[in-house]
Amino acid sequence: MIASCLCYLLLPAARLFRALSDAFFPCRKNALLAKSSSSQVEGDFAMAPRGPDQEECEGLLQQWQEEGSSQVLSTVSEDPLVDKGLAQSSLALLMDNPGEQDATSEDKWSSRQLSDLRAVENLEEPCPEVLGDEALPEVEGPMWAAVPMQSGPQYADCAVLSMGALAAEQWEEDPAVVAWSIAPEPMPQEEAPIWPFEGLGQLQPPPMEIPYHEILWREWEDFSTQPDAQGLEAGDGPQFQFTLMSYNILAQDLMQQSSELYLHCHPDILNWNYRFANLMQEFQHWDPDILCLQEVQEDHYWEQLEPSLRMMGFTCFYKRRTGCKTDGCAVCYKPTRFRLLCASPVEYFRPGLELLNRDNVGLVLLLQPLVPEGLGQVSVAPLCVANTHVLYNPRRGDVKLAQMAILLAEVDKVARLSDGSHCPIILCGDLNSVPDSPLYNFIRDGELQYHGMPAWKVSGQEDFSHQLYQRKLQAPLWPSSLGITDCCQYVTSCHPKRLERRKYSRDFLLRFHFCNIACQRPVGLVLMEGVTDAKPERPAGWAESVLEEDTSEPEPVFPRTVGTIQHCLHLTSAYTHFLPQHGLPEVTTMPLGLGTTVDYIFFSADSCENGNGTDHRLYQDGTLKLLGRLSLLSEEILWAANGLPNPFCSSDHLCLLASFGMEVTAP
């Protein structure tokens, strides 16, 4: 009888215990909370500060005591914990100092509470180090701190990564898998979780004391030997070495116009001042010799970027997009390494031409490398650097091809040497096309048969094959009035050079005095004795006729090929678009959470097939040699870092960085 009464009373007590536990631990799934009665935060569980919920629980306990339940329990159990009353012991387990509990009290905890308690006790670091070197500020009532937790792929609202553990932990897989998890955007009021602790706001991200490259780790892939202090390499011959970075830095105006793309980001990391500081940190850390930027907002360029880059030793050129657009492209170089030969801005907008009615632009620079004076009389070929940001619209591949043809025509004009060949070329930027798309293959292979191709297929960004109406490319792609041939060259570049006015000598003119035409009497010539009746005598040895040169310049004829465009620049990509250690696709941007590659660095080299797959460089060395590159990341790694932008990478694109070598020749 007594045992049955005990079981009858234990049942509501257990239910009361679970209700109290759920009321006081609403954030159990998000973080483990710790409490300390002193300035030192202990690593055990503790209850929340006194509040309305606690007073209600004490009221329920007092009412239960008045009904005599505690006396019944005290008569049937000799356990000291039960002598105090089962409800009192349950409340004491939650409210008393955890350090005063003994092994007997652990028997009353549920298995889930014990696992959480032991997980906290096994933490290697004290809780004050979670937010850095400084402890949490003192507030009225007990102190709360977020304890690191091991969670699944879901992002926890209260999960904070320990900075000390981050610096010391040895990564087993990819080092960028662990990063700060930004709290999600607040849900509607009826669904939003309530922060239950009065007087204390939610935890903010820790101060950025660790450089971004230690969080989103990117390896440097070296394809060369170590260069000497002068930047030259000994081997087959001395080389002029330099590094080039291409980076879409996300214009602030464009980000605000498309704010729905960045709902996953904490508002603080989207602030321009925060982003500008992070961008400058990247520039200083990688320290490229040439910097090609896209989506550079004009006012930010003149007020902050250009002065800061000038202090870092760069000379900058900027081209704003046409129309009312506020961003553009910039190319910056170090005058200690290069001398400017010419700079050509490129505008793709053509009035009255529907195919080219967009405001995208490009920038082409011709730079002369500067070799150290100690090397004597040596020279390096000029370097042509082209930077652009083509149209995004995935449906208008015809516009993208026309824009690329204009850029290639400008590059052909700037990089063409006197003998008809081209100097080394680097073409980079945001091309808004994926690898192995028709536009990508056109740049790499130098030829594209486009006639009848759906316009959306040119860039490969999205699949619109399900749509009934599809714009298809017609030949010719652009009208002859554009002044560009199907070989992506300006028509004026293909004209034969106009000969200067000929200067004829006396001997040359005398030859015409005795030619057959000169000996014929003109029709209607008045006969005058001694004047017009004389006939010249042909000297011995003179030919009977002299062939006259055709001095007229024929108009050049450029036949249009049927549905095919070409170029002769021999370009290949510095990246293979697959991570060599994992075989996963490389990612340069993550629009709407989907990783893709749209940013490239193309350079002068001859592509080649690689049958064995052992060499990552799928090209034959030419005038430019790829010496190294900064590896990209996979979509999974960027997902673990909460996508792009994030607290460590302040653009929705990743930067591309490559090192090149150019042969140094004697005159």
Side-chain angles (χ1 to χ4, degrees), residues 37 181 240 633:
S37 57
S181 298
F240 176 85
L633 301 175

Side-chain angles (χ1 to χ4, degrees), residues 391-402:
L391 179 69
Y392 166 76
N393 191 343
R395 303 172 184 268
R396 297 304 304 271
D398 53 342
V399 177
K400 299 184 184 189
L401 280 177

Side-chain angles (χ1 to χ4, degrees), residues 218-245:
R218 301 173 62 183
E219 296 181 353
W220 178 259
E221 302 175 7
D222 192 4
F223 302 139
S224 67
T225 59
Q226 188 68 23
D228 58 20
Q230 291 183 331
L232 301 176
E233 179 191 32
D236 296 338
Q239 290 184 349
F240 176 85
Q241 297 186 9
F242 64 95
T243 56
L244 180 142
M245 174 184 284

Side-chain angles (χ1 to χ4, degrees), residues 124-135 145-146 148 160-165:
E124 296 181 359
E125 295 186 7
C127 294
E129 295 182 4
V130 172
L131 296 181
D133 298 335
E134 299 181 1
V160 181
L161 183 64
S162 171
M163 294 292 101

